[in-house]
Amino acid sequence: MNSKMKIVVIGGTGLIGTKLVNNLRQRGHEVVAASPSSGVNTFTGEGLAEALTGAQVVVDVANAPQWDDKAVLEFFETAGRNLLAAEAAAGVRHHVALSIVGADRLPASGYLRAKLAQENLIKASKVPFTIVRSTQFFEFVKGIAQSATEGQTVRLSPGMMQPIAAEDVAAALTDVAVAEPVNGTIEIAGPEPIRMDEFVRQFLSATGDARKVNTDVHARYFGAELNDQSLVPGPRAKPRLGATRFVDWLSRSTS
């Protein structure tokens, strides 16, 4: 499927979507960056049929606008149903979705339960698909620190992660979007494992932030306690690894 295609990127104006749209355009494809700001809303269905007309591939990298458990589940289920129905009607040949490594291992997290519901809708639909499960992005390190801050301390789990640069996520999605659907799941991760507390500690140090990280095995992440298997690719996953190391990303983003 390497000839010029029409590819619709849902969430095409976000962190990953912007990079993905640029990559696909550089490869010569006709790309629609779809988002509520461009008049395409998967939750209400507005503008979907028009955007998908003539599209061969849809890549869904949209995120929920609200993060409480009930709202996030309703978003991913409703948007997922609307999108897959519109794709089936338009004859889309490949649905690519960005999900999260460990989505099936942390049922205590409402956010991850919602992502799993989204995956299940994709698997049950008639549209050929590839689900790309990614580990957490380097770009989210600041948000992790923020959400765990109490005064001058940051309370974090020592759970193992294998975070990845957003550009490496976009690169993987670019390759998947122009390939044949695998009708299954592939995993992507960064080149090196690091504990969550250490991930944030290095970020605070690099940015001259005076907050101190306190390690707490019971600290929750998206509502769930972590172990060392929670957020890293499974032993048999054979993940595609991004090229960018965290230290290099840190020096680039803090210079």
Side-chain angles (χ1 to χ4, degrees):
M1 284 169 85
N2 286 334
S3 53
K4 181 177 172 175
M5 295 186 284
K6 177 177 173 182
I7 301 173
V8 177
V9 179
I10 306 290
T13 55
L15 170 68
I16 303 294
T18 308
K19 295 173 168 57
L20 174 61
V21 166
N22 287 339
N23 289 355
L24 289 167
R25 283 183 179 149
Q26 280 169 356
R27 292 197 186 191
H29 298 289
E30 177 194 345
V31 187
V32 177
S35 68
S37 60
S38 74
V40 182
N41 189 319
T42 52
F43 188 71
T44 63
E46 176 205 358
L48 259 185
E50 296 77 12
L52 295 186
T53 303
Q56 284 95 352
V57 180
V58 172
V59 187
D60 184 6
V61 295
N63 214 335
Q66 292 165 302
W67 288 56
D68 64 277
D69 288 3
K70 189 166 176 292
V72 80
L73 181 64
E74 190 187 6
F75 173 81
F76 281 122
E77 290 200 320
T78 305
R81 282 197 191 95
N82 288 343
L83 182 55
L84 290 161
E87 288 176 25
V92 168
R93 298 203 301 264
H94 190 185
H95 176 89
V96 180
L98 179 61
S99 191
I100 299 172
V101 164
D104 50 344
R105 295 198 286 265
L106 293 173
S109 165
Y111 186 77
L112 293 180
R113 284 200 304 273
K115 290 299 287 184
L116 202 56
Q118 180 190 33
E119 289 188 7
N120 289 334
L121 282 169
I122 293 164
K123 291 174 182 172
S125 96
K126 303 229 177 347
V127 181
F129 70 92
T130 305
I131 294 167
V132 178
R133 280 189 174 178
S134 174
T135 54
Q136 187 54 272
F137 315 145
F138 293 159
E139 286 74 5
F140 212 64
V141 64
K142 188 178 183 180
I144 293 174
Q146 262 347 96
S147 64
T149 296
E150 295 154 14
Q152 278 300 294
T153 61
V154 188
R155 201 168 64 88
L156 286 167
S157 165
M160 196 61 83
M161 310 171 72
Q162 200 163 324
I164 184 171
E167 66 188 308
D168 291 340
V169 176
L173 286 167
T174 303
D175 289 343
V176 169
V178 299
E180 296 292 335
V182 302
N183 293 313
T185 303
I186 59 177
E187 297 200 344
I188 61 175
E192 303 160 318
I194 185 171
R195 297 192 175 279
M196 186 177 291
D197 53 349
E198 187 56 25
F199 179 52
V200 172
R201 205 173 274 125
Q202 288 184 19
F203 169 74
L204 296 179
S205 166
T207 51
D209 192 313
R211 285 177 289 175
K212 291 278 176 281
V213 173
N214 281 358
T215 303
D216 179 354
V217 292
H218 300 298
R220 290 173 177 267
Y221 175 74
F222 283 110
E225 284 192 18
L226 303 177
N227 63 35
D228 282 350
Q229 284 74 49
S230 303
L231 297 175
V232 294
R236 294 185 299 281
K238 297 196 179 79
R240 165 175 166 154
L241 299 183
T244 313
R245 293 167 63 228
F246 185 49
V247 287
D248 299 330
W249 178 87
L250 261 183
S251 63
R252 272 212 314 264
S253 55
T254 54
S255 58

